[in-house]
Amino acid sequence: MDAAAVSSFDGQALDHVLIFDTTLRDGEQCPGATLNTEEKLAIARQLARLGVDIIEAGFAYASPGDFEAVQKVAEQVGSADGPVICSLARALKPDIEAAAEALKPAAKPRIHTFISTSDIHLQYQLRKSRAEVLQIAEEMVAYAKSFVDDVEFSMMDATRSDPEYLYQVIEAAIRAGAKTINIPDTVGYVMPEEFGQLIKGIRENVPNIKQAVLSVHGHDDLGVSVANFLEAIKQGVRQVEVTINGIGERAGNTALEELVMALHVRRSYFNPYFGLPVDSEKPLTHIKTQEIYRTSRLVSNLTGMLVQPNKAIVGSNAFAHESGIHQDGMLKNRQTYEIMDAQTIGLQSSTLVMGKHSGRNAFRNRLQELGFHLSEQDLNKAFIRFKELADKKKEISDLDLEAIVNDETRPVPELYRLDHVQVVCGDKQAPTATVRLITPDGQELMDAAVGTGPVDAVYKAINRIVDIPNKLIEFSVQSVTAGIDAIGEVTIRLRHEERVFSGHAANTDIIVASAQAYMNALNKLYFALHAARSTPEQREAATQKI
Ligand SMILES: CC(=O)SCCNC(=O)CCNC(=O)[C@H](O)C(C)(C)COP(=O)(O)OP(=O)(O)OC[C@H]1O[C@@H](n2cnc3c(N)ncnc32)[C@H](O)[C@@H]1OP(=O)(O)O
Ligand SMILES: CC(C)C(=O)C(=O)O
């Protein structure tokens, strides 16, 4: 940067916040999240689509794998119109050399070098005096600058460091050429107001601070890192170091999606801190928010770090509503219970989850979406069944709703009765079942079959008697009571052509319950076919068939 540019540059006057993504470096420091080069490349490409300004691709000196990953990201994602590609490096020559080498293919390379400044780190970790660290910082920034123009300098454990000492180190780093000064809350210790005051102090006490972009880096040990960053932004910070889904060392790093969406949703609150009119629509970051959800899924899938359902923005419940009062409000006007549109982060829509807290309006709405238009009377009957089932089952699926409506609006007589079921099985025995069914006119029909397991054998034996093609699409057993003598509740669903029929039964013997549930569903299927036939002869023929 030439002298004129230096004197006019004011890193804190930017009208937007630079997003520095460190998912591939600090995010990967999260236990169990190791990524290989191909995976890192896939994430880096998606980060570029997301619109991050800087990708910290790794710590080149740390291992040959990390070196290769930084190099490949630099080569394949670091084009002139793409993001800045960065490598971390301790304030040591070999680290800086490795970073410089790995970053060579990048159009816009950045070396991010760091050293601790807190007394506890100096005394126990580095075993160096303040004066020594001050000198190392200046020398190593200058050394990094001999390789690349874009050098970032961080003071590890800054928030537990003496501010007066920080001012000196920052000034030295800027003097040596650092373009970005990063203030890490390495151990997630600082509180929002304190962090804001620290930033304010730096701006007021470091003579050449305007020659650099002020940046923050945070960890979520006390769950306040997003709040810390927002406070820092209000005090002039214009780069934030974040990770997707907030993954990272210990309790994780500040989550990109939370920080970006806070700035997006509360733009009018933050605009004045950027010198913008309150009602300005100008985005405060370069992030394409519609790519947020896709990026979150990719990172979760590749790192194996699951996103908790209640996680802000990208958790599976973030746009899901279960309680009746909220669902009713949502149906009347989405904004009654939503501060952002699901589509803003790339989801298709928010969801109304049917469960025990749902009310009639949401129930009716969902049934209508499924194509059922019930009378008030049928709706009320179905709603009572729905609430009973919801007390037992956490979430009611569309198939459950379909089954409830079919049961309540089309009551089914027990056309075929299971009279007897017997199973022989064991570790050296092919599971064999014998069943006897009684038809409505009192006939006894008996058959036997071998299956892959006892339930399969029972179903095959029943199918040999009740010859209606169907496909079992769901089978679930739940124990209703506790202990060895628990009642087992079996719920099944079977499909015949386009229609789904459910069966349900409870018994202390789960094989008997399974057989009864199957008969329950088959009776509904038979009845549906039977009712469709218009003449008594056809009805008779259908009965004969079974
Ligand atoms: C807060 C952060 O997230 S910092 C980044 C943390 N990330 C990582 O550590 C991941 C990658 N790290 C590694 O693979 C290894 O730790 C390596 C390759 C960097 C170093 O490995 P080793 O040489 O075996 O050293 P080791 O990790 O045991 O100890 C760290 C050394 O670096 C020194 N050190 C730590 N930070 C710095 C720094 N910023 N600048 C200079 N030296 C430093 C420590 O004092 C210690 O030195 P010592 O061996 O003289 O006591
Ligand atoms: C290297 C720095 C930025 C860091 O990761 C931290 O202090 O947490």
Side-chain angles (χ1 to χ4, degrees), residues 2 11 86 118 166 173 237 241 291 305 334 386 414 475 477 506:
D2 62 30
C86 169
S118 67
L166 277 187
V237 154
E241 302 200 350
E291 292 291 332
M305 304 299 300
R334 192 185 62 72
F386 160 71
E414 195 188 29
F475 177 90
V477 189

Side-chain angles (χ1 to χ4, degrees), residues 232-462:
I233 287 169
K234 283 159 66 177
Q235 295 297 339
V237 154
R238 290 296 176 262
Q239 176 183 286
V240 289
E241 302 200 350
V242 286
T243 63
I244 300 295
N245 300 337
I247 62 168
E249 193 90 44
R250 304 184 310 281
N253 286 57
T254 313
L256 178 148
E257 60 280 2
E258 294 179 16
L259 199 278
V260 166
M261 289 311 287
L263 291 174
H264 184 81
V265 173
R266 299 304 312 279
R267 204 159 30 200
S268 59
Y269 173 80
F270 288 102
N271 277 339
Y273 296 101
F274 290 82
L276 296 168
V278 172
D279 57 359
S280 163
E281 291 286 316
K282 190 180 172 309
L284 297 179
T285 70
H286 291 150
I287 295 297
K288 295 178 189 69
T289 60
Q290 292 86 347
E291 292 291 332
I292 286 180
Y293 188 69
R294 190 169 303 140
T295 316
S296 163
R297 297 301 311 147
L298 181 71
V299 169
S300 175
N301 289 339
L302 294 184
T303 58
M305 304 299 300
L306 299 180
V307 175
Q308 74 200 53
N310 59 320
K311 163 93 177 56
I313 318 294
V314 290
S316 56
N317 288 349
F319 291 90
H321 307 263
E322 205 215 70
S323 60
I325 293 168
H326 292 216
Q327 292 179 334
D328 170 55
M330 284 286 295
L331 289 170
K332 288 169 177 160
N333 183 326
R334 192 185 62 72
Q335 288 180 353
T336 52
Y337 287 95
E338 276 189 353
I339 58 165
M340 52 194 143
D341 189 332
Q343 290 180 358
T344 324
I345 65 144
L347 277 169
Q348 280 191 334
S349 66
S350 46
T351 49
L352 302 188
V353 178
M354 301 313 291
K356 72 177 262 192
H357 303 108
S358 299
R360 258 188 199 73
N361 285 345
F363 182 66
R364 180 189 295 106
N365 179 72
R366 189 72 198 120
L367 289 185
Q368 281 169 358
E369 283 173 356
L370 292 173
F372 296 111
H373 298 272
L374 304 190
S375 68
E376 242 355 77
Q377 197 190 0
D378 280 348
L379 185 95
N380 284 339
K381 279 199 287 181
F383 187 66
I384 292 168
R385 269 289 298 279
F386 160 71
K387 279 284 187 177
E388 280 167 7
L389 184 62
D391 264 338
K392 294 188 196 133
K393 227 176 154 216
K394 281 188 168 48
E395 202 176 303
I396 307 293
S397 66
D398 288 348
L399 286 178
D400 287 316
L401 292 179
E402 205 177 311
I404 287 173
V405 172
N406 282 333
D407 285 0
E408 284 308 317
T409 57
R410 299 179 201 121
V412 178
E414 195 188 29
L415 296 165
Y416 290 86
R417 190 161 57 79
L418 180 73
D419 183 49
H420 170 81
V421 55
Q422 184 184 323
V423 173
V424 184
C425 57
D427 63 347
K428 302 211 167 38
Q429 181 88 42
T432 312
T434 308
V435 297
R436 185 168 58 230
L437 306 186
I438 301 195
T439 63
D441 57 6
Q443 263 191 74
E444 286 185 7
L445 299 176
M446 193 161 178
D447 215 323
V450 173
T452 52
V455 174
D456 186 49
V458 169
Y459 284 18
K460 283 192 171 130
I462 293 174

Side-chain angles (χ1 to χ4, degrees), residues 418-538:
L418 180 73
D419 183 49
H420 170 81
V421 55
Q422 184 184 323
V423 173
V424 184
C425 57
D427 63 347
K428 302 211 167 38
Q429 181 88 42
T432 312
T434 308
V435 297
R436 185 168 58 230
L437 306 186
I438 301 195
T439 63
D441 57 6
Q443 263 191 74
E444 286 185 7
L445 299 176
M446 193 161 178
D447 215 323
V450 173
T452 52
V455 174
D456 186 49
V458 169
Y459 284 18
K460 283 192 171 130
I462 293 174
N463 281 342
R464 287 171 64 85
I465 302 172
V466 184
D467 183 23
I468 307 179
N470 71 81
K471 187 168 162 35
L472 186 68
I473 55 172
E474 196 182 315
F475 177 90
S476 75
V477 189
Q478 274 175 310
S479 72
V480 181
T481 49
I484 195 82
D485 58 349
I487 292 181
E489 196 174 53
V490 176
T491 304
I492 68 142
R493 295 195 202 294
L494 49 87
R495 190 187 292 284
H496 172 82
E497 293 169 356
E498 290 308 302
R499 297 188 60 182
V500 174
F501 300 86
S502 71
H504 180 261
N507 199 293
T508 46
D509 183 326
I510 57 162
I511 304 297
V512 175
S514 305
Q516 288 170 338
Y518 195 48
M519 286 313 301
N520 184 222
L522 278 178
N523 271 327
K524 290 177 193 170
L525 166 54
Y526 172 71
F527 185 71
L529 292 179
H530 185 69
R533 296 170 210 272
S534 52
T535 65
E537 295 73 37
Q538 282 169 324

Side-chain angles (χ1 to χ4, degrees), residues 24-36:
L24 299 179
R25 199 277 296 172
D26 216 345
E28 205 211 13
Q29 284 175 217
C30 163
T34 305
L35 297 160
N36 63 33

Side-chain angles (χ1 to χ4, degrees), residues 49-346:
R49 276 193 286 274
L50 178 66
V52 307
D53 300 282
I54 303 110
I55 295 178
E56 188 163 54
F59 187 160
Y61 181 78
S63 69
D66 241 31
F67 182 93
E68 185 197 51
V70 174
Q71 196 173 43
K72 286 270 186 299
V73 171
E75 192 180 279
Q76 297 185 27
V77 189
S79 61
D81 56 356
V84 169
I85 308 296
C86 169
S87 170
L88 187 67
R90 288 173 297 178
L92 295 173
K93 284 188 172 177
D95 281 40
I96 292 170
E97 286 157 11
E101 185 60 29
L103 289 168
K104 266 186 183 159
K108 294 182 282 181
R110 174 182 294 189
I111 295 178
H112 175 193
T113 187
F114 71 103
I115 195 159
S116 296
T117 46
S118 67
D119 288 337
I120 189 164
H121 278 213
L122 263 57
Q123 187 181 347
Y124 296 105
Q125 188 177 27
L126 299 176
R127 299 194 203 96
K128 295 198 187 312
S129 68
R130 286 187 179 190
E132 284 172 306
V133 165
L134 179 65
Q135 189 183 347
I136 293 171
E138 188 162 1
E139 284 175 5
M140 289 304 109
V141 170
Y143 191 58
K145 196 79 183 171
S146 70
F147 295 99
V148 295
D149 181 45
D150 187 353
V151 174
E152 170 169 334
F153 177 68
S154 288
M155 286 133 291
M156 184 152 66
D157 208 15
T159 53
R160 292 193 301 169
S161 305
D162 172 4
E164 296 296 331
Y165 178 55
L166 277 187
Y167 304 152
Q168 291 173 35
V169 180
I170 295 171
E171 183 62 15
I174 293 174
R175 200 166 47 231
K179 284 177 143 187
T180 303
I181 293 294
N182 183 43
I183 313 296
D185 181 28
T186 305
V187 290
Y189 176 73
V190 81
M191 287 293 122
E193 200 187 340
E194 279 177 312
F195 205 29
Q197 287 309 307
L198 178 63
I199 301 297
K200 187 165 182 275
I202 290 170
R203 291 190 64 192
E204 286 170 358
N205 293 287
V206 176
N208 284 308
I209 192 64
K210 287 186 174 178
Q211 290 177 27
V213 172
L214 251 178
S215 164
V216 285
H217 177 108
H219 287 268
D220 220 15
D221 298 66
L222 296 174
V224 291
S225 70
V226 172
N228 285 342
F229 275 27
L230 294 173
E231 207 53 40
I233 287 169
K234 283 159 66 177
Q235 295 297 339
V237 154
R238 290 296 176 262
Q239 176 183 286
V240 289
E241 302 200 350
V242 286
T243 63
I244 300 295
N245 300 337
I247 62 168
E249 193 90 44
R250 304 184 310 281
N253 286 57
T254 313
L256 178 148
E257 60 280 2
E258 294 179 16
L259 199 278
V260 166
M261 289 311 287
L263 291 174
H264 184 81
V265 173
R266 299 304 312 279
R267 204 159 30 200
S268 59
Y269 173 80
F270 288 102
N271 277 339
Y273 296 101
F274 290 82
L276 296 168
V278 172
D279 57 359
S280 163
E281 291 286 316
K282 190 180 172 309
L284 297 179
T285 70
H286 291 150
I287 295 297
K288 295 178 189 69
T289 60
Q290 292 86 347
E291 292 291 332
I292 286 180
Y293 188 69
R294 190 169 303 140
T295 316
S296 163
R297 297 301 311 147
L298 181 71
V299 169
S300 175
N301 289 339
L302 294 184
T303 58
M305 304 299 300
L306 299 180
V307 175
Q308 74 200 53
N310 59 320
K311 163 93 177 56
I313 318 294
V314 290
S316 56
N317 288 349
F319 291 90
H321 307 263
E322 205 215 70
S323 60
I325 293 168
H326 292 216
Q327 292 179 334
D328 170 55
M330 284 286 295
L331 289 170
K332 288 169 177 160
N333 183 326
R334 192 185 62 72
Q335 288 180 353
T336 52
Y337 287 95
E338 276 189 353
I339 58 165
M340 52 194 143
D341 189 332
Q343 290 180 358
T344 324
I345 65 144

